[in-house]
């Protein structure tokens, strides 16, 4: 059995040992959000958690529980409803409330949660945190990382600030070939490409990126391995 790397499942002695060896924390930034008919609603968190789990098993560190709340763009929709994120994307025609999405919080509240997590992680003994996942959450973390690093004397890594696009290659679309392939590699039982309506050749609703019908577990493994190795190189560079 693989060694446990998940914060919530660690005993105090196991936590203390792992933290002393590698004081690195990984924070999966997730949602409960439409990811096409072929993916599950928790795809953002499941991908980030899976990638971080592999990194922690290989290079040390502790994986925090995923956050399932996050920011996104929002505008007033018809009949008093709000359209959020992919609801009014170019890939969603006509614009509409996509079923199952239940994650949105204002930017300010999300940043308050992240900042509190940084403060508590510092108090617990972490020297470095890496957060990634849902696109708008990823951007919010990257935007504040520099300020919080100075304020709290902790290393905060983000896929935007600290990695190039050729090395941190996961979660680069929305339910397209990239994310769907990663899900197929991590959780093959949670992906069903047969749910995609393709008899007319229509583009899948609420999907951005390359065609998810081209997804394969092998491509997902490549994306995961490339990203995990990039994380390992960065931690080695930092002496962590």
């Amino acid at each position: 059995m693989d060694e446990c790397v998940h914060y919530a499942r660690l005993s105090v002695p196991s936590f203390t040992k792992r933290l002393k060896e590698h004081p690195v924390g990984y924070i999966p930034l997730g949602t409960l959000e439409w990811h096409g008919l072929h993916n599950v609603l928790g795809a953002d968190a499941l991908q980030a958690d899976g990638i971080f789990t592999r990194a922690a098993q290989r290079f040390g560190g502790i994986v925090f529980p995923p956050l399932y709340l996050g920011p996104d763009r929002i505008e007033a929709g018809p009949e008093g409803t709000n359209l959020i994120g992919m609801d009014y994307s170019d890939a969603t025609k006509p614009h509409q409330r996509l079923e199952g999405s239940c994650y949105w919080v204002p930017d300010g509240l999300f940043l308050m949660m992240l900042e509190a997590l940084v403060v508590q992680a510092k108090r617990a003994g972490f020297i470095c945190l890496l957060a990634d996942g849902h696109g708008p959450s990823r951007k919010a973390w990257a935007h504040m990382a520099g300020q919080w690093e100075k304020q709290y004397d902790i290393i905060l890594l983000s896929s935007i600030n600290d990695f190039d696009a050729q090395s941190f290659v996961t979660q680069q679309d929305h339910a397209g070939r990239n994310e769907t392939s990663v899900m197929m590699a991590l959780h093959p039982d949670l992906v069903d490409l047969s749910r995609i309506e393709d008899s007319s050749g229509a583009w899948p609703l609420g999907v951005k990126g390359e065609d998810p019908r081209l997804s394969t577990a092998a491509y997902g493994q490549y994306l995961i391995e490339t990203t995990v190795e990039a994380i390992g190189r960065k931690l080695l560079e930092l002496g962590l």
Side-chain angles (χ1 to χ4, degrees), residues 31 33 35 39-48 68 171 179 183:
T31 55
E33 181 186 16
H35 277 76
N39 285 308
V40 294
L41 294 161
D44 277 335
L46 290 170
Q47 290 173 84
Y68 282 94
Q171 294 186 260
E179 284 200 312
M183 282 295 295

Side-chain angles (χ1 to χ4, degrees), residues 114-134:
L114 283 183
E115 185 175 12
L117 187 53
V118 169
V119 172
Q120 291 302 303
K122 169 74 175 182
R123 176 180 179 273
F126 289 89
I127 291 175
C128 174
L129 299 174
L130 167 60
D132 196 67
H134 174 57

Side-chain angles (χ1 to χ4, degrees), residues 33-95:
E33 181 186 16
W34 171 283
H35 277 76
L37 295 175
H38 54 293
N39 285 308
V40 294
L41 294 161
D44 277 335
L46 290 170
Q47 290 173 84
D49 180 80
I51 292 158
F52 287 159
T53 296
R54 292 194 183 188
Q57 289 171 340
R58 194 174 306 179
F59 308 116
I62 295 170
V63 182
F64 280 69
L67 296 178
Y68 282 94
L69 299 176
D72 216 326
R73 55 187 183 157
I74 183 170
E75 70 171 24
E79 301 177 357
T81 63
N82 287 323
L83 297 178
I84 295 171
M86 291 301 297
D87 291 352
Y88 62 106
S89 164
D90 291 342
T92 305
K93 296 292 179 67
H95 293 168

Side-chain angles (χ1 to χ4, degrees), residues 184-218:
M184 291 174 76
L186 293 172
H187 301 284
D189 56 318
L190 299 183
V191 179
D192 186 351
L193 295 180
S194 71
R195 294 198 190 105
I196 300 176
E197 300 275 347
D198 64 352
S199 58
S200 65
W203 186 257
L205 183 67
V207 171
K208 294 188 73 172
E210 293 183 82
D211 194 328
R213 288 163 287 208
L214 302 175
S215 303
T216 65

Side-chain angles (χ1 to χ4, degrees), residues 131-164:
D132 196 67
H134 174 57
S137 300
R138 162 192 281 165
K139 292 175 183 176
W141 170 264
H143 179 69
M144 295 303 300
Q147 176 180 322
W148 289 341
E149 277 191 332
K150 295 176 183 177
Q151 187 172 351
Y152 300 113
D153 188 28
I154 186 171
I155 299 169
L156 302 179
L157 301 177
S158 78
S159 60
I160 294 174
N161 297 341
D162 301 287
F163 299 86
D164 60 56

Side-chain angles (χ1 to χ4, degrees), residues 4-24:
C4 180
V5 299
H6 287 91
Y7 205 141
R9 293 179 176 273
L10 291 171
S11 66
V12 172
S14 296
F15 172 83
T16 302
K17 179 177 182 292
R18 290 197 68 84
L19 191 70
K20 182 177 181 181
E21 292 172 346
H22 298 281
V24 178

